[in-house]
Amino acid sequence: MAIKANVVVIQALEAQIAELDARLLQQAKLRPEYLLLKTMPGVGEVLATIIMLETGDIDRFAEVGNFASYARCVKSAHYSNGKKKGEGNAKNGNAYLIWAFIEAANFARRFSDDAKRFFEKKKAKTNSVVATKALAHKLARASYHIFKEKQPFDAKRCFA
């Protein structure tokens, strides 16, 4: 009986999620980059919408590093002579973008062989959290180039 009750709850939640997804896509003003973002591994309709809306105009970022920093995909530590001397404003940037890129990285490593290979290689050197963040950084950089060049995702270029 408990299992049946849980199944009913899951079905109700799935219906609510589907309705929210439909409403999101209906209300959002999608730009042409939306379809290009969906070519990235791990990025579906919702994550592409979030990345597109939270990024805004890509021309406000001078370089790819500025966008990666805004998306909170880089460390904010200050070094001098190889020694850590403090940290910058780690909360600076867009919290929704880092969430979206971490989610995309988790899906990408499950469904993309190139992403999984990169993740496993990085994980062997460090740990799972750092490897996930590194993969999210790769996807953030790739999305910058997708926005800037109006070209679909290229796995060879991203994971070379």
Side-chain angles (χ1 to χ4, degrees):
M1 201 154 135
I3 292 173
K4 286 182 183 178
N6 285 338
V7 169
V8 170
V9 169
I10 290 170
Q11 289 171 341
L13 289 174
E14 285 177 345
Q16 289 292 318
I17 290 170
E19 186 177 327
L20 286 172
D21 286 348
R23 177 71 62 81
L24 171 71
L25 293 174
Q26 180 184 25
Q27 295 293 322
K29 292 177 178 53
L30 302 177
R31 298 191 309 259
E33 294 90 359
Y34 168 78
L35 294 173
L36 296 174
L37 281 173
K38 285 177 54 177
T39 62
M40 259 191 338
V43 176
E45 293 177 347
V46 174
L47 287 179
T49 305
I50 291 170
I51 292 169
M52 183 194 68
L53 293 176
E54 291 295 329
T55 299
D57 183 22
I58 199 67
D59 291 329
R60 63 193 178 125
F61 303 106
E63 295 179 5
V64 66
N66 298 98
F67 177 71
S69 178
Y70 176 72
R72 292 188 184 181
C73 290
V74 294
K75 292 235 182 232
S76 62
H78 297 289
Y79 289 92
S80 176
N81 195 24
K83 298 176 186 172
K84 186 174 178 182
K85 297 296 181 183
E87 292 191 10
N89 190 357
K91 301 277 183 177
N92 200 11
N94 192 312
Y96 300 109
L97 275 177
I98 187 58
W99 173 83
F101 286 123
I102 292 290
E103 287 293 314
N106 285 324
F107 283 115
R109 78 171 192 236
R110 281 191 244 159
F111 302 114
S112 169
D113 292 335
D114 293 325
K116 184 176 180 114
R117 199 173 311 111
F118 173 81
F119 174 80
E120 292 298 332
K121 185 176 177 184
K122 193 74 169 171
K123 184 180 167 189
K125 294 179 185 175
T126 60
N127 61 42
S128 179
V129 174
V130 172
T132 302
K133 186 87 180 237
L135 182 55
H137 183 211
K138 284 252 187 213
L139 294 177
R141 293 177 68 88
S143 67
Y144 173 85
H145 291 295
I146 287 172
F147 279 119
K148 205 67 159 164
E149 300 163 8
K150 311 273 193 273
Q151 297 292 322
F153 178 77
D154 183 11
K156 290 184 179 113
R157 183 175 173 190
C158 182
F159 298 112

